[in-house]
Amino acid sequence: MKNILKIEGYELLSQKIYGILKAKIVKGSLKQGSKLSECKIAKLMGISRTPVREALRELAANGFVKMNTNHGVVVTSLSLNDIIEAYQVRGVLEGLATRLTIKKIGREEIRELDNITKQMIVYAKKKDILAFSEMDAEFHDLILNTCGNKRLIHIHNNLNEQVHRFRIKSLSILSRLKCSLDEHLKIAEAIKKKDLEKADKLSQIHINNVLNNILTRINKEKYKNEDTKN
């Protein structure tokens, strides 16, 4: 019995460490290319190295870090191709999730969807990018949680967390904020009308537009940095 309790406690501790480190990577506190020391993390948290090692392995399995023999554990750097691939897959998943949601959505979820879009309209008018971004996330979370496909949700969330740092950049251009609002309103309307084909198509178009805007921002920053150096 004691051994079983120890194993359960160890697994919970490993998951907690995983959650803490993942959150820091997603928020950018642990930057791309940063080295993570198993020993230092364990010492900082006042725990043994074993659960830290397991947490790092899980982070590696989900693409947040890379484990190299020579360089140790390093926070994964996302290339343009990584971002493109992630959003391409996310677009297909969003479309499928919307289709599944339409088949299951009820009055309560419709009311919640309306409430979210109303708040998005308010924040878009105020040009409050961070608040709008939070409602944006709630909008997509509602669709995902209603769709009922656990594997789809897991894969989608993993992809979304990896590219999260680029999402707010996409909304930082005010013209994109207005376009994003319009796209969400059209998706919500298609869901309420239970138009599977249209909702799927609009969801994929929305994600593709997010990707295109992110790539535009990255290229602008790249050219700006090059001009500064010159």
Side-chain angles (χ1 to χ4, degrees), residues 5-224:
L5 290 173
K6 284 183 180 179
I7 291 171
E8 288 178 346
Y10 158 72
E11 288 178 345
L12 287 172
L13 184 56
S14 174
Q15 285 301 307
K16 284 180 181 179
I17 299 165
Y18 170 82
I20 291 169
L21 294 176
K22 184 179 74 172
K24 288 183 177 295
I25 293 170
V26 170
K27 291 177 181 177
S29 301
L30 289 173
K31 299 184 182 299
Q32 297 183 54
S34 300
K35 291 185 178 181
L36 301 181
S37 168
E38 180 185 303
C39 185
K40 287 182 179 179
I41 294 171
K43 188 175 181 181
L44 185 64
M45 294 184 172
I47 55 177
S48 69
R49 294 172 62 175
T50 305
V52 176
R53 188 179 304 121
E54 288 302 314
L56 292 174
R57 284 176 181 168
E58 188 172 354
L59 286 168
N62 289 325
F64 292 101
V65 302
K66 288 184 178 180
M67 303 182 81
N68 302 313
T69 306
N70 298 328
H71 302 287
V73 181
V74 180
V75 176
T76 305
S77 296
L78 294 177
S79 66
L80 281 178
N81 193 55
D82 291 328
I83 297 169
I84 291 169
E85 288 183 353
Y87 272 97
Q88 285 174 340
V89 175
R90 185 185 164 189
V92 176
L93 293 176
E94 291 268 357
L96 176 57
T98 307
R99 281 176 171 270
L100 295 173
T101 290
I102 288 174
K103 295 177 181 179
K104 295 185 175 185
I105 198 164
R107 291 182 181 178
E108 186 177 338
E109 289 83 8
I110 291 292
R111 282 196 294 270
E112 189 176 348
L113 188 67
D114 285 338
N115 184 49
I116 291 171
T117 53
K118 285 176 183 177
Q119 290 184 71
M120 292 179 84
I121 292 170
V122 171
Y123 292 133
K125 287 181 179 178
K126 291 181 178 180
K127 300 176 183 178
D128 190 334
I129 294 170
L130 288 176
F132 183 91
S133 179
E134 289 178 4
M135 289 299 104
D136 183 335
E138 285 194 24
F139 181 94
H140 293 285
D141 284 345
L142 174 61
I143 293 173
L144 280 170
N145 293 332
T146 306
C147 86
N149 189 314
K150 292 181 181 179
R151 287 179 175 80
L152 187 157
I153 294 169
H154 175 74
I155 296 169
H156 177 279
N157 287 343
N158 188 39
L159 286 170
N160 194 43
E161 285 170 342
Q162 290 187 43
V163 295
H164 174 79
R165 70 199 88 170
F166 299 100
R167 185 158 56 86
I168 293 179
K169 280 186 178 182
S170 172
L171 294 170
S172 58
I173 299 175
L174 294 180
S175 60
R176 176 57 200 156
L177 187 65
K178 294 174 183 176
C179 290
S180 181
L181 173 62
D182 185 52
E183 289 163 12
H184 283 89
L185 293 176
K186 287 179 179 178
I187 293 169
E189 189 63 26
I191 290 173
K192 288 189 284 186
K193 289 182 178 180
K194 297 190 178 296
D195 190 333
L196 273 71
E197 295 294 333
K198 190 173 183 179
D200 185 339
K201 184 178 179 180
L202 289 171
S203 295
Q204 294 201 48
I205 289 173
H206 168 61
I207 298 302
N208 188 58
N209 287 341
V210 173
L211 170 60
N212 288 334
N213 203 67
I214 287 171
L215 295 178
T216 300
R217 286 303 308 272
I218 290 174
N219 286 328
K220 282 185 178 180
E221 288 180 4
K222 180 181 178 182
Y223 292 136
K224 185 179 179 180

